[in-house]
Amino acid sequence: MPKIYAAKFSDGTHWLGDNWPDCEKLVMGKQGVKYKSFIKMEDAKAWITGKKVVKKGLRIYIDGSFMPTSEYAGWSWIAVENGVQIACEFGKTPHPALSRNIDGELHAAWKAMEFLAKHKRKGTICYDYQGVESWAIGDWKANSAVSIIYMNRIAEIKEWASFERVAGHSGDEWNDKADELAKGALKAPLVEKKTIEKKTAEKKKKKS
Protein backbone atom coordinates (compact mmCIF):
# COMPACT_ATOMS: atom_id res chain seq x y z
CA MET A 1 0.00 0.00 0.00
CA PRO A 2 1.55 3.34 -1.07
CA LYS A 3 1.98 6.04 1.53
CA ILE A 4 0.00 9.26 1.36
CA TYR A 5 2.05 12.46 1.66
CA ALA A 6 0.55 15.70 2.93
CA ALA A 7 2.04 19.18 3.07
CA LYS A 8 0.80 22.44 4.58
CA PHE A 9 2.28 25.74 3.40
CA SER A 10 2.61 29.09 5.17
CA ASP A 11 0.15 30.77 2.77
CA GLY A 12 -2.65 28.42 3.90
CA THR A 13 -2.56 26.11 0.88
CA HIS A 14 -1.92 22.37 1.05
CA TRP A 15 -0.91 19.40 -1.09
CA LEU A 16 -1.87 15.71 -0.99
CA GLY A 17 -0.42 12.88 -3.06
CA ASP A 18 1.16 9.42 -3.09
CA ASN A 19 4.44 10.32 -4.79
CA TRP A 20 7.32 11.30 -2.51
CA PRO A 21 9.52 12.88 -5.25
CA ASP A 22 6.64 15.24 -6.09
CA CYS A 23 6.21 16.13 -2.43
CA GLU A 24 9.95 16.54 -1.94
CA LYS A 25 10.15 19.12 -4.74
CA LEU A 26 7.44 21.17 -3.06
CA VAL A 27 8.73 21.13 0.52
CA MET A 28 12.53 21.00 0.44
CA GLY A 29 14.14 24.33 1.19
CA LYS A 30 10.80 26.05 1.82
CA GLN A 31 10.23 28.00 5.04
CA GLY A 32 7.12 27.48 7.14
CA VAL A 33 6.13 24.24 5.42
CA LYS A 34 5.02 21.16 7.37
CA TYR A 35 4.72 17.69 5.88
CA LYS A 36 3.99 14.12 6.99
CA SER A 37 3.33 10.67 5.58
CA PHE A 38 0.22 8.63 6.30
CA ILE A 39 -1.15 5.16 5.64
CA LYS A 40 -4.73 6.33 5.04
CA MET A 41 -6.09 9.27 3.08
CA GLU A 42 -8.64 10.07 5.83
CA ASP A 43 -5.82 10.58 8.32
CA ALA A 44 -3.93 12.83 5.90
CA LYS A 45 -7.04 14.95 5.29
CA ALA A 46 -7.70 15.18 9.04
CA TRP A 47 -4.15 16.46 9.58
CA ILE A 48 -4.59 19.03 6.82
CA THR A 49 -7.87 20.35 8.29
CA GLY A 50 -6.88 19.95 11.94
CA LYS A 51 -9.94 17.81 12.65
CA LYS A 52 -9.54 14.81 14.93
CA VAL A 53 -10.72 11.50 13.45
CA VAL A 54 -12.52 9.34 16.02
CA LYS A 55 -12.29 5.76 14.82
CA LYS A 56 -15.15 3.47 15.79
CA GLY A 57 -14.91 0.11 17.50
CA LEU A 58 -12.32 -1.47 19.78
CA ARG A 59 -8.77 -0.73 18.67
CA ILE A 60 -5.61 -1.68 20.54
CA TYR A 61 -2.48 0.33 19.79
CA ILE A 62 0.76 -1.49 20.51
CA ASP A 63 4.46 -0.63 20.47
CA GLY A 64 7.85 -1.90 21.47
CA SER A 65 11.08 -0.15 22.42
CA PHE A 66 14.72 -0.98 22.98
CA MET A 67 17.68 0.91 24.39
CA PRO A 68 21.33 -0.19 24.35
CA THR A 69 21.50 0.53 28.09
CA SER A 70 19.02 -2.29 28.80
CA GLU A 71 19.17 -5.89 27.67
CA TYR A 72 15.36 -6.08 27.78
CA ALA A 73 12.74 -4.61 25.46
CA GLY A 74 9.89 -2.37 26.56
CA TRP A 75 6.33 -3.00 25.41
CA SER A 76 2.87 -1.48 25.75
CA TRP A 77 -0.70 -1.63 24.53
CA ILE A 78 -3.55 0.85 24.86
CA ALA A 79 -7.15 -0.25 24.27
CA VAL A 80 -9.30 2.51 22.77
CA GLU A 81 -13.02 2.18 22.14
CA ASN A 82 -14.75 4.85 20.04
CA GLY A 83 -11.91 7.25 20.75
CA VAL A 84 -11.81 6.69 24.53
CA GLN A 85 -9.05 4.80 26.36
CA ILE A 86 -10.50 1.89 28.34
CA ALA A 87 -7.38 -0.04 29.39
CA CYS A 88 -3.61 -0.20 29.00
CA GLU A 89 -0.68 -2.34 30.06
CA PHE A 90 3.08 -1.95 29.73
CA GLY A 91 6.34 -3.37 31.00
CA LYS A 92 9.61 -5.06 30.11
CA THR A 93 10.01 -8.41 28.40
CA PRO A 94 10.59 -11.17 30.98
CA HIS A 95 13.77 -12.29 29.21
CA PRO A 96 16.61 -10.43 27.47
CA ALA A 97 15.64 -9.28 23.99
CA LEU A 98 16.65 -11.52 21.10
CA SER A 99 15.87 -8.99 18.36
CA ARG A 100 15.93 -5.61 20.09
CA ASN A 101 12.60 -3.72 19.79
CA ILE A 102 10.97 -6.55 17.79
CA ASP A 103 10.72 -8.51 21.05
CA GLY A 104 8.73 -5.65 22.53
CA GLU A 105 6.45 -5.29 19.50
CA LEU A 106 5.55 -8.99 19.48
CA HIS A 107 5.19 -9.19 23.26
CA ALA A 108 2.78 -6.24 23.16
CA ALA A 109 0.72 -7.86 20.38
CA TRP A 110 0.49 -11.10 22.37
CA LYS A 111 -0.62 -9.30 25.55
CA ALA A 112 -3.17 -7.29 23.54
CA MET A 113 -4.64 -10.50 22.12
CA GLU A 114 -4.76 -11.95 25.62
CA PHE A 115 -6.86 -8.94 26.65
CA LEU A 116 -9.27 -9.52 23.76
CA ALA A 117 -9.56 -13.24 24.47
CA LYS A 118 -10.07 -12.67 28.20
CA HIS A 119 -12.96 -10.29 27.56
CA LYS A 120 -14.22 -12.26 24.54
CA ARG A 121 -14.06 -9.15 22.37
CA LYS A 122 -13.10 -8.80 18.73
CA GLY A 123 -10.70 -5.93 18.18
CA THR A 124 -8.17 -4.39 15.79
CA ILE A 125 -4.49 -4.52 16.68
CA CYS A 126 -2.90 -1.29 15.42
CA TYR A 127 0.83 -1.79 14.89
CA ASP A 128 3.81 -0.14 13.21
CA TYR A 129 5.97 -3.27 12.81
CA GLN A 130 4.79 -5.46 9.92
CA GLY A 131 5.78 -8.77 11.52
CA VAL A 132 2.96 -8.44 14.05
CA GLU A 133 0.42 -9.14 11.31
CA SER A 134 2.47 -11.01 8.73
CA TRP A 135 3.51 -13.78 11.12
CA ALA A 136 0.05 -13.97 12.69
CA ILE A 137 -1.76 -14.51 9.36
CA GLY A 138 0.93 -16.73 7.85
CA ASP A 139 2.36 -14.35 5.22
CA TRP A 140 5.77 -14.67 6.84
CA LYS A 141 7.27 -17.99 7.88
CA ALA A 142 8.39 -18.05 11.51
CA ASN A 143 12.08 -19.00 11.41
CA SER A 144 13.67 -16.85 14.12
CA ALA A 145 13.41 -17.71 17.80
CA VAL A 146 11.42 -14.57 18.63
CA SER A 147 8.88 -15.22 15.85
CA ILE A 148 8.44 -18.88 16.87
CA ILE A 149 7.78 -17.84 20.48
CA TYR A 150 5.24 -15.28 19.21
CA MET A 151 3.40 -17.82 17.05
CA ASN A 152 3.21 -20.34 19.89
CA ARG A 153 1.81 -17.72 22.25
CA ILE A 154 -0.93 -16.44 19.93
CA ALA A 155 -1.93 -19.75 18.29
CA GLU A 156 -5.18 -20.12 20.25
CA ILE A 157 -6.08 -16.43 20.71
CA LYS A 158 -5.27 -14.71 17.41
CA GLU A 159 -8.82 -15.37 16.18
CA TRP A 160 -9.96 -12.43 18.33
CA ALA A 161 -7.80 -9.96 16.45
CA SER A 162 -7.77 -8.23 13.11
CA PHE A 163 -4.84 -6.04 12.14
CA GLU A 164 -4.16 -2.54 10.84
CA ARG A 165 -0.85 -0.86 10.18
CA VAL A 166 -0.27 2.63 11.57
CA ALA A 167 2.72 4.64 10.42
CA GLY A 168 5.12 5.08 13.32
CA HIS A 169 5.97 8.63 14.43
CA SER A 170 3.38 10.07 12.04
CA GLY A 171 1.47 12.05 14.66
CA ASP A 172 -1.13 9.38 15.44
CA GLU A 173 -2.25 10.21 19.01
CA TRP A 174 -2.58 6.66 20.32
CA ASN A 175 0.46 5.26 18.53
CA ASP A 176 2.53 8.05 20.05
CA LYS A 177 1.14 7.31 23.53
CA ALA A 178 1.92 3.60 23.16
CA ASP A 179 5.45 4.56 22.08
CA GLU A 180 5.87 6.72 25.19
CA LEU A 181 4.66 3.92 27.49
CA ALA A 182 7.00 1.36 25.93
CA LYS A 183 9.97 3.70 26.25
CA GLY A 184 8.98 4.65 29.79
CA ALA A 185 8.81 1.01 30.83
CA LEU A 186 12.55 0.74 30.20
CA LYS A 187 13.37 3.75 32.36
CA ALA A 188 11.48 2.92 35.56
CA PRO A 189 10.28 -0.11 37.53
CA LEU A 190 6.85 -1.35 36.46
CA VAL A 191 5.41 -0.97 39.99
CA GLU A 192 6.33 2.70 40.03
CA LYS A 193 4.79 3.25 36.61
CA LYS A 194 1.55 1.59 37.67
CA THR A 195 1.40 3.78 40.76
CA ILE A 196 1.84 6.91 38.64
CA GLU A 197 -0.91 5.70 36.30
CA LYS A 198 -3.26 5.04 39.19
CA LYS A 199 -2.64 8.42 40.83
CA THR A 200 -3.24 10.17 37.53
CA ALA A 201 -6.57 8.40 37.18
CA GLU A 202 -7.55 9.32 40.75
CA LYS A 203 -6.75 13.00 40.11
CA LYS A 204 -9.00 12.98 37.05
CA LYS A 205 -11.86 11.49 39.07
CA LYS A 206 -11.51 14.19 41.74
CA LYS A 207 -11.56 16.97 39.14
CA SER A 208 -14.70 15.57 37.54
Side-chain angles (χ1 to χ4, degrees):
M1 181 183 296
K3 286 185 177 181
I4 304 297
Y5 300 97
K8 294 192 285 189
F9 303 96
S10 57
D11 63 0
T13 59
H14 67 269
W15 179 90
L16 285 169
D18 61 2
N19 186 285
W20 167 244
D22 288 346
C23 182
E24 187 177 24
K25 291 176 184 177
L26 294 170
V27 303
M28 290 302 161
K30 302 289 178 64
Q31 291 187 347
V33 63
K34 297 179 181 179
Y35 59 95
K36 285 187 177 184
S37 64
F38 299 86
I39 298 296
K40 292 188 173 183
M41 179 62 79
E42 63 176 315
D43 294 330
K45 289 181 177 179
W47 181 74
I48 288 290
T49 61
K51 294 180 180 179
K52 183 178 179 181
V53 176
V54 176
K55 297 183 178 180
K56 303 296 183 181
L58 177 56
R59 304 166 66 81
I60 305 186
Y61 293 79
I62 66 168
D63 213 348
S65 183
F66 183 82
M67 296 180 184
T69 54
S70 173
E71 59 181 333
Y72 300 88
W75 59 270
S76 76
W77 60 260
I78 302 175
V80 181
E81 189 160 25
N82 299 325
V84 178
Q85 180 178 325
I86 61 171
C88 74
E89 188 179 8
F90 50 89
K92 297 178 184 178
T93 51
H95 305 291
L98 300 172
S99 299
R100 299 170 68 88
N101 65 300
I102 293 176
D103 289 65
E105 303 277 1
L106 299 182
H107 194 91
W110 165 51
K111 299 299 283 185
M113 285 183 232
E114 274 197 332
F115 172 81
L116 292 174
K118 177 182 177 181
H119 295 281
K120 294 181 170 55
R121 297 283 309 275
K122 293 280 187 177
T124 302
I125 304 293
C126 301
Y127 65 87
D128 58 19
Y129 171 65
Q130 187 60 44
V132 167
E133 177 178 8
S134 293
W135 276 313
I137 66 176
D139 281 355
W140 290 4
K141 186 175 181 180
N143 292 318
S144 63
V146 68
S147 64
I148 292 171
I149 292 171
Y150 174 59
M151 290 300 293
N152 288 337
R153 284 172 166 173
I154 69 171
E156 296 182 3
I157 58 175
K158 63 182 180 180
E159 65 188 81
W160 295 98
S162 57
F163 301 91
E164 180 181 313
R165 186 175 181 185
V166 177
H169 310 290
S170 63
D172 184 286
E173 175 187 4
W174 298 108
N175 178 262
D176 288 348
K177 287 183 177 180
D179 178 61
E180 290 175 8
L181 286 177
K183 287 179 179 175
L186 290 173
K187 298 177 182 177
L190 183 57
V191 172
E192 181 182 340
K193 291 292 290 184
K194 280 190 173 179
T195 301
I196 293 172
E197 184 76 18
K198 184 177 179 181
K199 286 181 179 178
T200 302
E202 288 174 350
K203 286 180 181 178
K204 289 181 179 179
K205 287 181 180 179
K206 288 179 180 179
K207 287 182 180 180
S208 59

